[in-house]
Amino acid sequence: MVGDKARGEMNAFQRNESKETLFTFISAGDDPPKGDFPLQKKSPKLCGSNYPLSIAFIVVNEFCERFSYYGMRAVLTLYFLSFFHWDENLSTAVYHAFSALCYFTPVIGAIMADSWLGKYKTIIYLSIVYVVGHLIKSVGAIPSLGNQAVHVVLSMVGLFLIALGTGGIKPCVSAFGGDQFEEEHTSERSKFFSIFYLSINAGSLISTFVTPVLRGDVKCFGEDCYALAFGVPAALMVLALVVFIAGSGLYRKTPPQGNVLLEVCKCIGFALKNRLKNRSPEIPKRDHWLDWASEKYSKQLIGEVKMVTRVLFLFIPLPMFWALFDQQGSRWTLQATKMNADFGIYVLQPDQMQFLNPLLILVFIPIFDFGLYPLINMCKLNFTPIRKMATGMILAGLAFGLAAIIEVKINETDMPRLVPKESLIRVLNLAKNPVQVAIQDKDLFQQPVESFQNPAEYSKLILNGEQQSLHFTLQHQGLTLAFNYTVKEKSVYSLIVFEAEGSLSSRLITDLEAKPENGLAAVRFINALSQDVNLTINSKSFITVQKNYSASEYSLLERDVYNDGKCITETGEVPLELGLLDFGASYTVVITNISGGAVETWKSEDIKANNVHMAWQLPQYLLISAGEVMFSITGLAFSYSQWAEFVLFTVLLFAVCIIFSIMGYFYVSVDPEDLEEKEEKRETSSRGNMIGLVTQKTKL
């Protein structure tokens, strides 16, 4: 998360620097304007210091903007999953497509700022686009506004505009903050970037904790309030724009000076074109393929482009790190929905776990800078930037290894995955005595089922087609009864056995085939009374269950203790207590009797509750955050269902780490001054040889 947060324009190996700054397309106007540009005014200072007053507006703007972006993104995956009812794979794919677009649009912002509008106007105009995107996104989350197609269109348009806005201002805001300082105040400028970085992390930390609360704990339109969860970040982006405009009269505004990215691309293109034109063996070879651009471009630019291409080659494996790192907002959040989130004094929302990353970053940076790295230096270990980055990748790989282990434990409480010609069945004996159940040609239920016995695991039925009529035999107190039921493949059933009118009877009902999503609990009721009942579970859940062992549909509820319900019958109203309905569990509640002014019930757990605590995600967040800190120190910037997927992530990261380490071993660091000195010596040597030839010719 540091990468997208730390957008400060800092030195390449400056501590506490952002990973996004150095690899994002930094505005070419970072240096003081040269030529006949008008002299820039000096901004008033903060409290007599060398800090311009204008940076206060920039820092507050950055805090609000990062709150806006990360707050919206924190709930995005669950929005796709719950509001659009997309599956996990599609939700993850769209989430990462949006993230990728946010990392591409800085190219557009850099070109606009350096070639056309300048940084100040670019920030203003694209922030307006940003605000419009947020507003459209918020409106698209109002359930009563149109059908799902309307919601999807509004949301995708909003996300596109948000990506254009957040990415477009990305290379401009930090560079614009650096422009506010005079050249002699380099120390203050460096400290400004640390404050700028802090505001990014603070905005991210607060928003990733608050917006999931607005989504899950506040209800609007009868469900999770995504409109509010998106609306608050939209309001913060409006505030960010207002604050930035308020400081307009204090800013030093550098005119656009041309985009260095375009110059680099043109230089590379000309070198390739010129080399292809001069393929004749008679034409002397040049030391480097970029030297073929020397007819048009300066040796200084060519030398700098050579350095850039060498570093870019080294960085080829690094996007994989950020692609996997961004899984915190998708796969790790989806994993958290299948875990126990009760921390005793507080129940976390699954998308709130993301706040651990910015929190740990703020904790780890001083620990690493003032503790770990000095200790390594004292041990005389050469912990170079490349080795730090490789170590960070190893830590990230270990994080995904832990995620895979946790996923295995989570899946232990899942329902078995059924294939064609398979179904599951169990028996609920609601009679007063044990019952022996047999299914013709099926070797199941060897032991009698006791009265109101907690049901065992589901038994697997192998069918002879997509559906099959099965013959059931029930033995009860010396009597044998037979029933036929049609069973469909890939379905889950409960055979309810009960006494009716002095005889034994049965009913086959359909159960849930998978755990309830998003940590919800599912509950249904069987009415064993001789009269219909109306049940009130909470202020929003009303269920009618017909008499004589009829079963209701499942109701999905938030995890909670439900002891304030009501049961209304022909004879009156009595309290209904269900107890705890836990994360991810499915329950069947049998209403057996009403006596003494209370309802007597029997509750069975059809699907086990989530028994892996969300705290077990903490080690993987610790490792990924530590890996991020080690990775981001060098200034990198790019950040891509089941447990096998996490194993794939682990293998990919370790493979990339090995490739990167090998490439790093053969990489030789080059100082720009050494490169210029080498070029000058080569030119001097060439001139010397030419003079020698001329002198020799004169003697002849």
Side-chain angles (χ1 to χ4, degrees):
M1 191 172 288
V2 174
D4 198 53
K5 297 176 290 195
R7 302 183 316 209
E9 178 196 31
M10 303 169 235
N11 295 328
F13 298 102
Q14 176 185 337
R15 296 185 178 188
N16 295 356
E17 71 180 336
S18 98
K19 64 194 178 201
E20 187 168 67
T21 302
L22 295 169
F23 213 66
T24 305
F25 299 94
I26 299 299
S27 172
D30 296 343
D31 295 328
K34 299 175 183 178
D36 298 328
F37 294 116
L39 199 63
Q40 296 292 325
K41 65 179 180 181
K42 292 187 177 182
S43 174
K45 306 299 182 184
L46 279 169
C47 303
S49 66
N50 290 324
Y51 293 95
L53 180 60
S54 56
I55 65 170
F57 294 88
I58 296 173
V59 169
V60 173
N61 163 267
E62 185 66 11
F63 170 84
C64 295
E65 189 273 328
R66 290 292 84 187
F67 185 108
S68 166
Y69 174 74
Y70 280 108
M72 177 277 303
R73 204 179 74 159
V75 300
L76 196 56
T77 299
L78 294 186
Y79 174 68
F80 294 149
L81 196 69
S82 303
F83 195 85
F84 290 163
H85 303 291
W86 290 349
D87 61 32
E88 291 187 358
N89 292 329
L90 179 59
S91 300
T92 300
V94 176
Y95 174 89
H96 289 293
F98 167 71
S99 296
L101 184 60
C102 291
Y103 285 116
F104 172 76
T105 50
V107 180
I108 300 173
I111 294 174
M112 288 177 61
D114 290 337
S115 305
W116 180 26
L117 296 174
K119 289 188 280 291
Y120 174 75
K121 289 184 178 179
T122 300
I123 294 171
I124 293 292
Y125 294 158
L126 289 183
S127 291
I128 294 173
V129 173
Y130 201 164
V131 168
V132 172
H134 266 302
L135 294 176
I136 293 176
K137 185 78 186 70
S138 302
V139 171
I142 299 175
S144 58
L145 186 67
N147 55 25
Q148 180 165 336
V150 173
H151 296 147
V152 171
V153 170
L154 289 176
S155 295
M156 294 304 107
V157 171
L159 287 176
F160 175 79
L161 295 178
I162 290 171
L164 181 60
T166 187
I169 67 175
K170 201 178 297 295
C172 302
V173 178
S174 58
F176 187 68
D179 289 346
Q180 307 308 306
F181 293 84
E182 286 83 17
E183 281 303 304
E184 62 270 18
H185 297 148
T186 55
S187 175
E188 287 80 3
R189 178 184 293 176
S190 177
K191 292 178 181 177
F192 157 74
F193 287 124
S194 295
I195 298 171
F196 188 84
Y197 172 82
L198 179 63
S199 71
I200 290 169
N201 281 275
S204 171
L205 173 63
I206 296 172
S207 65
T208 50
F209 189 86
V210 171
T211 52
V213 174
L214 299 176
R215 172 196 63 79
D217 292 353
V218 179
K219 302 299 178 182
C220 58
F221 306 103
E223 54 189 66
D224 284 356
C225 199
Y226 285 101
L228 179 63
F230 292 136
V232 170
L236 264 292
M237 190 57 220
V238 172
L239 180 60
L241 178 59
V242 171
V243 169
F244 187 77
I245 294 175
S248 176
L250 303 173
Y251 298 139
R252 299 175 75 238
K253 302 168 186 175
T254 304
Q257 299 176 335
N259 187 264
V260 71
L261 174 63
L262 295 179
E263 287 298 307
V264 169
C265 293
K266 289 178 181 178
C267 178
I268 293 174
F270 182 81
L272 293 173
K273 183 179 178 181
N274 198 25
R275 178 66 184 91
L276 292 174
K277 283 183 177 180
N278 296 277
R279 289 177 292 176
S280 173
E282 300 177 358
I283 300 176
K285 294 183 178 180
R286 302 186 183 182
D287 293 339
H288 194 282
W289 63 272
L290 277 168
D291 291 332
W292 289 95
S294 58
E295 284 82 356
K296 185 175 181 180
Y297 296 94
S298 68
K299 285 185 170 58
Q300 179 182 356
L301 177 61
I302 293 173
E304 291 172 350
V305 174
K306 288 179 183 178
M307 294 177 62
V308 169
T309 55
R310 293 177 72 248
V311 172
L312 285 178
F313 174 74
L314 180 67
F315 284 1
I316 287 174
L318 304 189
M320 178 61 72
F321 178 92
W322 299 121
L324 299 185
F325 171 84
D326 242 14
Q327 297 291 321
Q328 293 176 75
S330 56
R331 289 299 183 189
W332 286 17
T333 297
L334 294 175
Q335 185 184 69
T337 64
K338 298 178 284 186
M339 304 177 78
N340 187 335
D342 187 3
F343 285 82
I345 59 174
Y346 188 77
V347 177
L348 275 182
Q349 298 292 338
D351 37 1
Q352 272 184 304
M353 284 297 287
Q354 298 174 64
F355 92 97
L356 283 175
N357 180 250
L359 176 64
L360 291 171
I361 292 299
L362 293 177
V363 172
F364 280 159
I365 284 178
I367 292 176
F368 278 56
D369 283 351
F370 302 112
L372 180 61
Y373 293 154
L375 182 61
I376 292 175
N377 292 335
M378 289 173 60
C379 296
K380 307 296 183 183
L381 297 176
N382 186 20
F383 203 38
T384 63
I386 289 177
R387 290 176 180 174
K388 291 178 184 177
M389 293 159 62
T391 303
M393 296 172 81
I394 292 173
L395 293 176
L398 292 173
F400 277 93
L402 290 179
I405 294 172
I406 290 174
E407 193 73 6
V408 171
K409 298 300 293 182
I410 288 173
N411 289 342
E412 290 179 356
T413 62
D414 276 355
M415 293 288 287
R417 293 185 177 275
L418 297 174
V419 299
K421 298 184 180 181
E422 281 187 357
S423 291
L424 297 176
I425 192 169
R426 65 169 187 170
V427 177
L428 292 180
N429 181 12
L430 306 184
K432 296 178 181 179
N433 296 290
V435 174
Q436 180 68 57
V437 180
I439 305 177
Q440 186 177 4
D441 299 327
K442 308 295 179 185
D443 189 19
L444 302 176
F445 312 121
Q446 301 297 320
Q447 300 297 324
V449 181
E450 298 294 331
S451 175
F452 287 92
Q453 172 184 316
N454 284 325
E457 298 289 334
Y458 282 92
S459 299
K460 184 176 293 185
L461 278 173
I462 305 300
L463 309 180
N464 57 16
E466 293 183 358
Q467 64 180 30
Q468 182 180 352
S469 179
L470 298 178
H471 184 74
F472 290 78
T473 302
L474 307 181
Q475 293 182 357
H476 176 257
Q477 292 185 318
L479 298 177
T480 301
L481 299 97
F483 303 91
N484 290 323
Y485 292 108
T486 299
V487 176
K488 297 181 179 179
E489 66 177 2
K490 294 185 177 181
S491 299
V492 182
Y493 297 96
S494 285
L495 178 67
I496 309 237
V497 180
F498 56 92
E499 296 180 46
E501 298 178 354
S503 178
L504 198 65
S505 185
S506 67
R507 181 171 291 161
L508 191 68
I509 60 175
T510 304
D511 296 356
L512 287 182
E513 299 172 9
K515 291 177 74 70
E517 296 181 345
N518 302 328
L520 296 176
V523 62
R524 69 176 173 188
F525 296 87
I526 296 176
N527 181 12
L529 304 179
S530 58
Q531 54 183 322
D532 296 346
V533 296
N534 294 310
L535 305 177
T536 301
I537 302 175
N538 54 27
S539 59
K540 299 177 182 177
S541 299
F542 307 96
I543 302 170
T544 298
V545 190
Q546 295 181 347
K547 60 185 178 180
N548 298 330
Y549 294 92
S550 296
S552 70
E553 297 293 329
Y554 281 99
S555 297
L556 295 178
L557 302 169
E558 297 283 345
R559 185 262 190 187
D560 205 345
V561 176
Y562 292 90
N563 287 333
D564 298 326
K566 296 178 182 178
C567 177
I568 304 173
T569 66
E570 297 172 355
T571 58
E573 176 183 303
V574 291
L576 174 66
E577 296 183 358
L578 300 179
L580 175 65
L581 303 182
D582 213 349
F583 295 106
S586 171
Y587 300 93
T588 294
V589 177
V590 182
I591 300 173
T592 59
N593 193 17
I594 295 179
S595 64
V599 179
E600 295 180 5
T601 61
W602 177 75
K603 182 172 70 174
S604 73
E605 189 178 53
D606 307 339
I607 301 177
K608 293 181 180 178
N610 301 344
N611 60 3
V612 180
H613 201 276
M614 201 181 288
W616 283 107
Q617 278 196 325
L618 180 59
Q620 66 199 56
Y621 272 98
L622 285 167
L623 287 173
I624 197 75
S625 300
E628 181 188 1
V629 169
M630 303 192 83
F631 214 69
S632 65
I633 292 297
T634 325
L636 301 175
F638 239 83
S639 298
Y640 177 72
S641 319
Q642 311 300 319
W643 74 272
E645 192 170 14
F646 288 94
V647 173
L648 173 64
F649 294 159
T650 306
V651 174
L652 284 175
L653 257 182
F654 277 111
V656 168
C657 174
I658 293 171
I659 296 171
F660 176 74
S661 300
I662 294 172
M663 295 169 66
Y665 177 80
F666 293 102
Y667 177 77
V668 179
S669 181
V670 177
D671 189 292
E673 296 181 359
D674 293 341
L675 190 63
E676 292 178 7
E677 185 177 338
K678 184 178 179 181
E679 292 287 346
E680 291 176 2
K681 287 182 179 179
R682 185 164 28 172
E683 289 181 12
T684 304
S685 175
S686 299
R687 287 195 296 269
N689 292 337
M690 291 174 65
I691 293 172
L693 287 172
V694 173
T695 304
Q696 190 175 357
K697 188 175 181 180
T698 304
K699 287 181 180 179
L700 288 171

